[in-house]
Amino acid sequence: MLIEDICVCVTCVCSGVCIISPAGAVVASVEDAKRDVLIALSQIIDPDFGTDIVSCGFIKDLEISETLEEVSFRVELTTPACPVKDMFEEKANEVVAALPWVKKVNVTMSAQPAQPVYAGDLPEGLKKISNIIAVSSCKGGVGKSTVAVNLAYTLAGMGARVGIFDADVFGPSLPNMVSPVNRLLVVNPESKSILPTEYLGVKLVSFGFAGQGRAIMRGPMVSGVINQLLTTTDWGELDYLVIDMPPGTGDIHLTLCQVAPLTAAVIVTTPQKLAFIDVAKGVRMFSKLKVPCVAVVENMCYFDADEKRYYPFGKGSGTQVVQQFGIPNLFDLPIRTTLSSSGDTGIPEVVSDPQGDVAKIFQNLGVCVVQQCAKIRQQVSTAVSYDRSIRAIRVKVPDSDEEFFLHPATVRRNDRSAQSVDEWTGEQKVQYGDVPEDIEPEEIRPMGNYAVSITWPDGFSQIAPYDQLDMLERLVDVPLPATAAVASS
């Protein structure tokens, strides 16, 4: 420690050696030191959230030694697959070590426990899954399963805990695309849950592993089988469950979207116009179900030969999807014999050639999925909250820059569930005077990407869709304290 870095403390009752912080203030206690560390760490901005890592709540277990020389803390990220985790660790070490009184820094990197951003009752098997990603094309033969499997193994390679659910009962592809030692699903005799098989650390469930091959059955039976396979499987803790959706937009897709709280969807297409027509149906389906589509993968786009790039099926299908539906990311996959043959060898392309061009494209897709899922979870978890200082419900709907405030009593009085409104006559069961003017919500929790669950003091749990809250803001003129108006401006 340099002479200029110490001074005699004249503000304390007793004299002693104190440390000068970067701002020139005296660091006389552990609390002062913690404050300095947090100020230093707040220089690190999360590129996805646009907020510093302290405000994001990433800093945990901050400890300062009694000698005020050693600093230890943990950086808890939203996912172990965070693409900037190494940068976070490096910068955290750098900014804290730059404090003049710090001699040693101990940084530990971790990730939040796997849990869905969903307040409703989930099947037991889905309660420890953070993100569920649907890979869909709504058309067969475009390489959807290839994308799903390679995306899953890319995410696993980034450090995430991953599972794959093959939702195609009529033509399951997963058994041909991976090579697990155990090729049959097993039922736990005690819990009656299905135990997934595994290949290279990724958990796998497919009707093809049920010993039945391909199914010949009617629609309602298929939906029941899909539901059972997905919800009764003991997936354990997963950061990402990738669902390889079957072709089409029928009952099976609606069942999956209703049973599983999908975080996001990845759309797979090919350059042909016919593929675009079917894909457009799928994008509209996900839009109606409030499932954001975060990326488009255009498969079989081009091949390189004679130092030229050729587009045998034309261009524009993927770009058209992106432009027409506002999907933010487009990834082009080449025509490669290794990519198509990997579906027959049982070894995904990103595993057999992790440094190849195709693996790099999937790496970019994996980074995109991780970042978009983190954004969605952040938006959903903070979309609706209660500000006690102004006694108002703050609403900022995902994918919208608008923020507005609602009076709690107005929200409670406008519940449209069967408990508040007679389903047959439309008569209001809960009258205006039944709801106190000073009512306050006890808890607000997200219900996936479309609504929140609000618990009131009388024990009533209200499901409030974002669309309904937005309509209230437009139709109801609610007087709020002046501070609310200021906060919303």
Side-chain angles (χ1 to χ4, degrees), residues 4-7 18-27 36 100-101:
E4 57 264 32
D5 290 335
I6 63 174
C7 69
C18 299
I19 300 171
I20 301 296
S21 74
V26 175
V27 178
D36 274 6
W101 52 270

Side-chain angles (χ1 to χ4, degrees), residues 309-344:
R309 178 158 292 182
Y310 298 89
Y311 296 85
F313 303 120
K315 297 181 181 179
S317 175
T319 303
Q320 193 174 356
V321 175
V322 169
Q323 292 177 346
Q324 183 166 330
F325 298 102
I327 301 174
N329 303 285
L330 174 63
F331 300 89
D332 294 338
L333 283 174
I335 300 172
R336 292 283 175 85
T337 55
T338 55
L339 183 58
S340 59
S341 63
S342 66
D344 301 323

Side-chain angles (χ1 to χ4, degrees), residues 65-80:
S65 65
E66 292 183 1
T67 58
L68 303 181
E69 294 179 343
E70 184 173 344
V71 179
S72 303
F73 57 91
R74 178 167 57 90
V75 181
E76 184 183 72
L77 304 174
T78 56
T79 169

Side-chain angles (χ1 to χ4, degrees), residues 170-331:
F170 296 116
S173 303
L174 195 57
N176 294 327
M177 305 190 77
V178 293
S179 306
V181 175
N182 181 11
R183 300 187 64 84
L184 285 176
L185 299 174
V186 178
V187 176
N188 186 318
E190 296 180 2
S191 63
K192 305 299 181 184
S193 60
I194 298 172
L195 302 178
T197 187
E198 286 192 27
Y199 177 60
L200 301 179
V202 175
K203 296 181 179 180
L204 314 166
V205 171
S206 170
F207 189 75
F209 291 137
Q212 303 294 321
R214 286 166 167 77
I216 302 176
M217 60 182 72
R218 295 186 182 274
M221 294 178 62
V222 175
S223 296
V225 170
I226 291 293
N227 192 346
Q228 183 179 7
L229 283 173
L230 177 63
T231 61
T232 63
T233 293
D234 184 6
W235 292 103
E237 288 194 5
L238 292 182
D239 299 299
Y240 302 93
L241 174 61
V242 177
I243 299 184
D244 181 6
M245 301 283 281
T249 54
D251 291 344
I252 299 173
H253 305 77
L254 295 176
T255 296
L256 285 168
C257 292
Q258 290 167 354
V259 169
L262 298 181
T263 308
V266 173
I267 304 299
V268 183
T269 186
T270 53
Q272 296 94 331
K273 291 182 179 179
L274 188 59
F276 168 77
I277 294 172
D278 288 335
V279 164
K281 296 177 184 177
V283 175
R284 292 189 183 99
M285 177 192 71
F286 284 120
S287 177
K288 289 183 179 179
L289 295 168
K290 307 298 182 184
V291 178
C293 297
V294 298
V296 174
V297 178
E298 189 171 12
N299 194 21
M300 296 180 279
C301 271
Y302 61 87
F303 66 89
D304 296 323
D306 303 325
E307 299 183 353
K308 294 182 180 179
R309 178 158 292 182
Y310 298 89
Y311 296 85
F313 303 120
K315 297 181 181 179
S317 175
T319 303
Q320 193 174 356
V321 175
V322 169
Q323 292 177 346
Q324 183 166 330
F325 298 102
I327 301 174
N329 303 285
L330 174 63
F331 300 89

Side-chain angles (χ1 to χ4, degrees), residues 100-117:
W101 52 270
V102 174
K103 289 187 175 181
K104 185 177 181 182
V105 182
N106 301 310
V107 182
T108 304
M109 304 299 292
S110 67
Q112 295 174 1
Q115 58 183 2
V117 183

